[in-house]
Amino acid sequence: MDHRLIQPASRDQIVAIIRQRAERANRDIPVHLGQAVFDRDIRAQLQAALPPEEELKPRLERLIQTENNFKYAGDKGSPGTFIAGIPLSPEKPYFELELVNAGNSGVPVCGPIIGLCSHKYPLDLLPGWSGESIGLNTADGKIYKGRPRGQVNGGKFMTGDRVGCGVKFENISGLNVSLIPVFFTKNGKEICTTFMPCPPGGLFPAFGLQKEPEEVRLMMDLVWNPEDDVAMSIDSGEEEWHRLHDIRLNGQLLEYVGRGKSLIDVGLAQAKTPLCTRSHYFEIEIIDPGSNCYIAIGLARKDYPKNRHPGWNKGSIAYHADDGKVFMGSGVGDPFGPRCNKGDIMGCGVLFPRDYEFRSDSEEEEEGESLQEVVYSLGEETDSGDEDDYWQPNNKQGEKIQVFFTRNGKVIGKKDVFLPKGGFYPTVGMMSSQEKVRVELRPLSG
């Protein structure tokens, strides 16, 4: 055919042809050619999360899911891949993985991979290994963009680390709309930002596991705060907790993340505010008893040792779920109430004297003798019988109060103790894998 008879193609037709070929070849579309199309299409894709009725189902293969935990369960050489049901959006621009088990080092380098991809991305490929995807390998810190050859951008990750991935929607504007800024984090700190084209339908959170014993915990309801450079859980209540040791906070849930292999592997969660006459009671519900239900609810001084169950050391008292015993500053407990398990609600509160007036640490220091200091050791004391003397009524140290415990709304017993300087802080202890409790710090007011 005479080429002079062929009508010249318009710009839009040329862009459409290049776009189709780029998608088939898994290549980025040149910005100067794709601008007109992406200005219209990508903005529509990234406006907001899908409403519930339009959400797609998550896709996964070769993974065992237990709530938010995922373990590798594939054949050697085949990855276990997960793709979320909704894409990232300005309302939910970020997610994280906690490396419950980062796997074994070796050659080839394996490890969990976190990233973004289209919802139709093949489940037999890791994120970042083919077009319409990006992925960060936690084992070597390399970022993969549409091909199985990565570039080093971040450090290596270990078991217990958190790796995050998100989109900086606030930076998508003008000439940059054709390329999406994707960033990665390590333990809440941004480590790198890169760019990738947005596939039709948006970018979906994804991760891949490569071999046993790799395991991750998925956390979707997170908000990225670039000013503070930290990731914070929505409605996490972190401001209510003074410290968390080997325990992770997820909304109202406390989850044990320690080793759970010996007595030194205790996980401790301690509230920021001590009990007082206005807030004198708190509760926990056992959501998952874990392997042994080594869960304890109680009260402790502010500087209580972080790797000791409440009740084991001076300045603390606790009711333990596994044996129903109460521990009062000693590693030897006394029979007290029934054992507790999944679904049980354990409570702990204080009955203050009628004339009791709460004072902060600073007020106590100013008023000197208004409240005598309870003497205790800050070391890792042994569980000797001498510690029981701390709780004897004839030992006039501090204000005398009554601590009571409940099970499923019924009081099971009370104990007379003396209040440490600074007050008693709500404290929860855990010590076996998979333990999980829901906390209500202020179920009552009085």
Side-chain angles (χ1 to χ4, degrees):
M1 180 182 293
D2 190 336
H3 69 277
R4 290 173 296 179
L5 300 179
I6 301 176
Q7 294 292 329
S10 67
R11 174 182 170 84
D12 287 346
Q13 289 174 324
I14 294 175
V15 168
I17 293 172
I18 294 176
R19 183 176 185 178
Q20 291 173 358
R21 292 179 178 177
E23 289 176 350
R24 287 198 296 267
N26 294 326
R27 290 199 301 265
D28 293 352
I29 303 173
V31 175
H32 69 284
L33 292 176
Q35 185 63 49
V37 178
F38 277 95
D39 276 339
R40 181 180 65 253
D41 293 351
I42 291 187
R43 288 187 184 279
Q45 295 169 18
L46 301 177
Q47 284 302 310
L50 294 172
E53 63 273 15
E54 297 182 19
E55 289 183 5
L56 301 172
K57 291 184 179 180
R59 302 173 60 220
L60 70 158
E61 283 187 1
R62 292 171 290 276
L63 295 171
I64 296 177
Q65 180 179 359
T66 305
E67 296 185 356
N68 293 328
N69 280 41
F70 296 82
K71 292 182 180 180
Y72 178 80
D75 299 325
K76 187 176 181 181
S78 299
T81 305
F82 171 91
I83 301 175
I86 57 174
L88 293 185
S89 67
E91 291 75 24
K92 293 186 177 182
Y94 178 80
F95 75 106
E96 280 187 357
L97 296 179
E98 179 184 342
L99 304 186
V100 179
N101 192 324
N104 302 320
S105 59
V107 178
V109 176
C110 293
I113 292 181
I114 186 174
L116 303 169
C117 65
S118 68
H119 194 261
K120 296 182 179 180
Y121 188 81
L123 291 176
D124 58 350
L125 294 176
L126 292 165
W129 280 31
S130 187
E132 301 186 344
S133 73
I134 187 171
L136 168 65
N137 191 336
T138 60
D140 58 12
K142 291 184 178 181
I143 290 181
Y144 297 78
K145 296 174 62 178
R147 60 177 183 173
R149 180 180 296 177
Q151 295 181 341
V152 177
N153 275 274
K156 299 179 181 179
F157 292 72
M158 302 176 64
T159 296
D161 285 339
R162 292 178 293 111
V163 55
C165 179
V167 171
K168 295 183 177 180
F169 288 94
E170 68 278 7
N171 294 343
I172 302 175
S173 62
L175 297 178
N176 292 326
V177 73
S178 61
L179 294 175
I180 307 302
V182 177
F183 67 98
F184 294 91
T185 67
K186 180 177 182 180
N187 296 326
K189 299 292 184 181
E190 183 176 342
I191 54 177
C192 66
T193 298
T194 186
F195 294 84
M196 68 172 292
C198 182
L203 291 167
F204 291 73
F207 66 83
L209 305 182
Q210 302 190 59
K211 64 179 183 179
E212 294 180 344
E214 292 174 9
E215 180 181 357
V216 298
R217 180 176 292 113
L218 176 64
M219 295 170 282
M220 293 292 295
D221 291 334
L222 298 177
V223 176
W224 174 252
N225 188 343
E227 294 181 358
D228 296 336
D229 202 24
V230 295
M232 299 188 67
S233 177
I234 297 176
D235 298 328
S236 68
E238 281 190 29
E239 69 280 357
E240 295 184 329
W241 295 95
H242 167 55
R243 55 178 173 164
L244 298 166
H245 172 69
D246 279 349
I247 288 180
R248 184 172 66 87
L249 180 63
N250 184 6
Q252 285 187 298
L253 297 182
L254 295 176
E255 304 176 4
Y256 178 70
V257 295
R259 296 189 310 160
K261 297 183 181 297
S262 69
L263 294 179
I264 65 172
D265 295 328
V266 172
L268 192 80
Q270 189 173 60
K272 184 174 290 185
T273 306
L275 294 187
C276 62
T277 54
R278 295 184 303 275
S279 178
H280 63 274
Y281 176 77
F282 76 106
E283 290 181 337
I284 64 172
E285 178 186 356
I286 301 177
I287 303 300
D288 191 334
S291 56
N292 295 294
C293 200
Y294 291 151
I295 297 170
I297 181 174
L299 303 169
R301 64 182 193 255
K302 188 174 183 178
D303 53 1
Y304 190 78
K306 65 182 181 180
N307 62 341
R308 300 286 287 173
H309 251 317
W312 282 1
N313 285 41
K314 293 178 181 179
S316 70
I317 180 172
Y319 174 35
H320 287 223
D322 63 308
D323 54 15
K325 292 183 178 181
V326 65
F327 290 74
M328 300 190 302
S330 170
V332 179
D334 297 324
F336 185 69
R339 297 179 180 180
C340 300
N341 214 307
K342 184 176 182 179
D344 286 328
I345 298 176
M346 305 172 68
C348 176
V350 172
L351 299 177
F352 291 97
R354 287 182 178 271
D355 57 349
Y356 175 78
E357 180 181 354
F358 174 74
R359 294 181 175 88
S360 65
D361 287 340
S362 60
E363 290 173 332
E364 288 172 2
E365 290 172 1
E366 291 175 1
E367 298 187 18
E369 302 298 325
S370 62
L371 183 62
Q372 297 181 32
E373 179 177 353
V374 175
V375 180
Y376 48 76
S377 169
L378 296 180
E380 296 301 315
E381 55 264 53
T382 59
D383 299 322
S384 65
D386 296 338
E387 292 188 354
D388 292 334
D389 294 339
Y390 171 85
W391 300 103
Q392 297 304 317
N394 60 358
N395 187 1
K396 301 299 183 181
Q397 295 178 324
E399 189 103 7
K400 186 177 181 180
I401 60 172
Q402 274 193 331
V403 175
F404 67 95
F405 294 95
T406 66
R407 178 178 180 267
N408 298 328
K410 296 182 179 180
V411 176
I412 56 176
K414 304 174 184 177
K415 289 290 183 180
D416 292 332
V417 297
F418 289 92
L419 195 66
K421 178 184 177 181
F424 263 142
Y425 291 75
T427 306
V428 177
M430 303 183 193
M431 202 175 65
S432 68
S433 61
Q434 302 299 318
E435 289 174 345
K436 184 185 301 183
V437 300
R438 180 181 289 111
V439 183
E440 180 58 63
L441 289 175
R442 297 176 185 84
L444 303 174
S445 60

